[in-house]
Amino acid sequence: VDLVAALLDLGWLDSSGLLVSDSGVGQGAEFVLVPAFQAVGGQSVAVTQDDIRQLQLAKGAMRAAVDIMLERAGLAARDLERVFLAGAFGNYLRPDSILRIGLLPYLDAGKIKPVGNAAAGGAVLALFSQSQWEEARSLAPSINYIELANEADFQEVFLRSLNFPEPRRNGP
């Protein structure tokens, strides 16, 4: 995610996800991180156009989910006080990079907080604390489950979410 954010900022990746590198443009293009002569095992380490596309698909699905949840809740990104990123995935992502690639709608990066393995932490709290168990039980009825595959506009929102955002400019 950090590399894609940097490639976007450098102009070596366009908003459609097209990679422009020394080895070409688009299909077959790659960005070499470690050349073969410097790599252990003698094989280069590179990010390919296909790698970028796979990230775009994952980002598109996650961003579509966020946009649909916000819309169903009647909220905009600016209304959010905090965004918690759970699990190993969220724990190691830099907020600035998340925002640069458009994984989340634009908001203040300081509002994004990694929380690690929240599911396990919550389970431990609920198992060892009667008050935490009761709080979890009282919250359960107010939680709404959204089956994204059944959302009529998921495909449209997903397709709209595939591209990377243009760089944010300061000033007029």
Side-chain angles (χ1 to χ4, degrees), residues 89-151:
F89 177 75
N91 214 35
Y92 297 103
L93 296 177
R94 291 180 48 239
D96 288 333
S97 296
I98 291 169
L99 295 170
R100 178 62 186 97
I101 71 164
L103 186 66
L104 293 174
Y106 186 75
L107 52 92
D108 176 18
K111 292 182 176 184
I112 301 172
K113 305 288 182 203
V115 293
N117 190 344
V124 168
L125 283 174
L127 286 171
F128 291 104
S129 168
Q130 182 66 34
S131 65
Q132 291 295 313
W133 171 257
E134 290 169 6
E135 182 178 357
R137 284 183 50 97
S138 72
L139 289 173
S142 67
I143 295 172
N144 294 315
Y145 176 77
I146 300 172
E147 181 66 51
L148 291 172
N150 294 337
E151 290 294 314

Side-chain angles (χ1 to χ4, degrees), residues 66-83:
V66 168
D67 288 351
I68 289 171
M69 286 189 293
L70 285 171
E71 193 252 316
R72 298 300 179 270
L75 297 171
R78 68 181 168 276
D79 299 324
L80 302 176
E81 293 177 23
R82 229 173 277 123
V83 174

